[in-house]
Amino acid sequence: MKEISTSALIELSLDLAQSLTNKDRFDRLLTTIRKAISCDSVAILSFDENSQLLSPIALQGLSRDTLGRRFHVEDHPRLKLICAADKAVRFASDCELPDPYDGLLIDREGDLPVHACMGLPLLFDDKLIGVLTLDSFTPNVFNDIPPRTLAVISAMAAANLNAALTIELLENRAMHSEQVVAELSLQPAQVQMQQMIGKSSAMTKLKQEIALVAPSDFTILIYGETGVGKELVANDLHIQSRRQKATIVHVNCAALPESLIESELFGHVKGAFTGADKNRAGKFSIADGGTLFLDEIGELPLVAQSKLLRVLQNNEIQAVGQDKITKVDVRVIAATNRDLALEVAEGRFRADLYHRLSVYPITVPPLRDRLDDITLLAGFFVEKIKRQLGIRQISMSDAFISHLTEYNWPGNVRELEHFINRAALKSMARQPNHALVKLSITDCESLKITKSTAVKLMMDEDDTKQQNSEQLNFKTVTENFQRQLISRILHQEQGKWSAAAKRLQMDRANLNRLAKRLGIKVTKIIVE
Ligand SMILES: Nc1ncnc2c1ncn2[C@@H]1O[C@H](COP(=O)(O)OP(=O)(O)OP(=O)(O)O)[C@@H](O)[C@H]1O
Ligand SMILES: [Mg+2]
């Protein structure tokens, strides 16, 4: 066989320079190779060092489904020899090693007959990045190819494969950055930067816990009633972690329709289901290198729970409709206002997922347990609304502040913020043309708490008889537990007896009777 001609090389270089897509570039390369070396099939495969897999990138003369096949080097002795070599490897016609393309050549049905076979390792910077394989039904056809022709072909194939892989890597990175930017723009700006206000002992303890556990990669489960600041805690954990430069991606598990959860979390490929008109990355891959915040995890349906568990165990995701499994490096932080242990006991939440998630549980205390913080928070929110309303200064009367600390705040910090905002509006209307506005008790009284009815749980002190430890016996311990459980559920259900009875799976009248005996009363305060 004669050497590859200089004119063929120049023609190929020009062709490759004009190719717009990888497919086009490889097609031209393979056509030139077939002109220089007579063969029945030719293929370029890329090599992944981690998985030791060879993936066909471009081919001619082999069935199309070959493009979807992955060849594990260990399973294919011919490919293994090519990968280990530093120059062309020829296999004699009578070589007994199995051929990876047996049954895949287009012009041939059934077993491959005696044929010639050759492989070239594709090296870039002395690193194996792929292989080029050639097969021919004419025995010994590859024996007398000039070494220079082989050297030129393997250098060209390696350079093109390297360019294609680099472009793919850059495209993936650019796509990932685009998705991260899109994700960040969906998150409210104030959440990204907001500080956690509070100096009470409960809040100090919480901040210490955050500082302790944030730098680890532990999965965290944040508990707390509605509006206590769970999202802020999740954000703080991320900011204080080694992942702070990457993004924190927020998923509200309660807002996802059941049929789309899997695709939302793990992504899907085009055509995976009706409506999947293009490939879409899931939240896990967008959060790769960063943190995934799974809010309201208690609302996740059981089917999605088992899929999530697998990801947490293996750090691997599989997009809907795709065979390929991808490794991800994501720290998961979850939050819930449900009693997950109770959810597990009642079969609504998987026990194994619960244990996986609660590697380090954190409880955000309700506002009524950190009364010291109310004044600071009120100051923080007054300052915020002042800017929004364009008022020079807003102050608060002592009576106004003490009114705030008397209230039970079932809606916690969020309710306090809304309350302050409404009071500021009322006060501004009351004192038009005033640059300095003072919030007074009048502004509270003129407010109507519409969203959540204020609920105060009253414990009958005589009846509660919180026993000291020496007096504890089975009956009192059980009653204390019942009292705490019922109070907590009543708080969560905004003082609604029927909802609480349903959660506790009790008859409503029985719950009322038991609560009465335990000294629990619900007082609803509606401030007109
Ligand atoms: N310590 C705090 N300092 C300042 N603002 C706070 C604090 N805690 C909560 N907030 C504010 O209160 C509001 C509610 O907080 P967040 O959304 O984090 O609560 P949550 O516990 O996630 O509530 P839900 O269970 O309803 O989702 C937000 O506007 C948040 O910025
Ligand atoms: Mg929240």
Side-chain angles (χ1 to χ4, degrees), residues 79-221:
L79 294 175
K80 193 176 173 187
L81 283 169
I82 302 169
C83 285
D86 57 2
K87 56 178 187 301
V89 182
R90 293 178 177 83
F91 296 94
S93 314
D94 56 357
C95 172
E96 298 211 325
L97 294 175
D99 193 296
Y101 302 140
D102 211 356
L104 301 179
L105 265 78
I106 287 176
D107 296 334
R108 197 88 216 174
E109 293 258 311
D111 290 351
L112 274 181
V114 173
H115 73 297
C117 173
M118 181 171 72
L120 293 161
L122 302 180
L123 304 163
F124 199 86
D125 273 351
D126 291 335
K127 197 172 153 243
L128 183 75
I129 58 168
V131 298
L132 175 76
T133 61
L134 300 120
D135 286 81
S136 168
F137 296 123
T138 318
N140 306 325
V141 70
F142 300 134
N143 288 4
D144 58 352
I145 306 173
R148 200 182 90 88
T149 300
L150 286 180
V152 166
I153 284 175
S154 76
M156 287 234 149
N160 275 280
L161 181 58
N162 186 58
L165 294 176
T166 310
I167 289 170
E168 192 182 85
L169 188 79
L170 292 174
E171 277 174 356
N172 284 345
R173 275 197 204 150
M175 203 201 300
H176 186 251
S177 308
E178 235 171 65
Q179 287 159 346
V180 168
V181 169
E183 196 62 42
L184 281 176
S185 66
L186 291 177
Q187 299 182 19
Q190 82 268 22
V191 170
Q192 290 169 36
M193 351 234 317
Q194 195 175 314
Q195 284 181 27
M196 275 174 59
I197 307 296
K199 287 194 184 309
S200 61
S201 56
M203 205 59 189
T204 310
K205 192 168 155 269
L206 176 68
K207 286 181 181 171
Q208 283 166 351
E209 261 187 305
I210 294 173
L212 175 80
V213 77
S216 76
D217 249 353
F218 285 174
T219 305
I220 314 271
L221 182 56

Side-chain angles (χ1 to χ4, degrees), residues 194 197 203 226-232 377 413-414 417:
Q194 195 175 314
I197 307 296
M203 205 59 189
T226 181
V228 279
K230 296 186 291 297
E231 189 161 343
L232 275 193
L377 282 163
V413 186
R414 183 182 293 114
E417 179 172 8

Side-chain angles (χ1 to χ4, degrees), residues 211-259:
L212 175 80
V213 77
S216 76
D217 249 353
F218 285 174
T219 305
I220 314 271
L221 182 56
I222 307 170
Y223 281 108
E225 293 173 16
T226 181
V228 279
K230 296 186 291 297
E231 189 161 343
L232 275 193
V233 170
N235 211 45
D236 222 27
L237 282 164
H238 172 71
I239 287 170
Q240 294 192 41
S241 78
R242 64 174 178 86
R243 295 165 180 269
Q244 53 168 248
K245 290 215 173 86
T247 189
I248 174 166
V249 175
H250 185 152
V251 180
N252 185 346
C253 301
L256 297 174
E258 195 167 337
S259 56

Side-chain angles (χ1 to χ4, degrees), residues 389-391 394 422-434 437-439 443:
L389 296 180
I391 303 171
I394 304 182
R422 289 193 299 261
L425 268 179
K426 289 276 168 191
S427 183
M428 200 170 79
R430 213 168 36 79
Q431 308 162 62
N433 312 322
H434 275 68
V437 168
K438 186 159 196 155
L439 304 189
D443 304 310

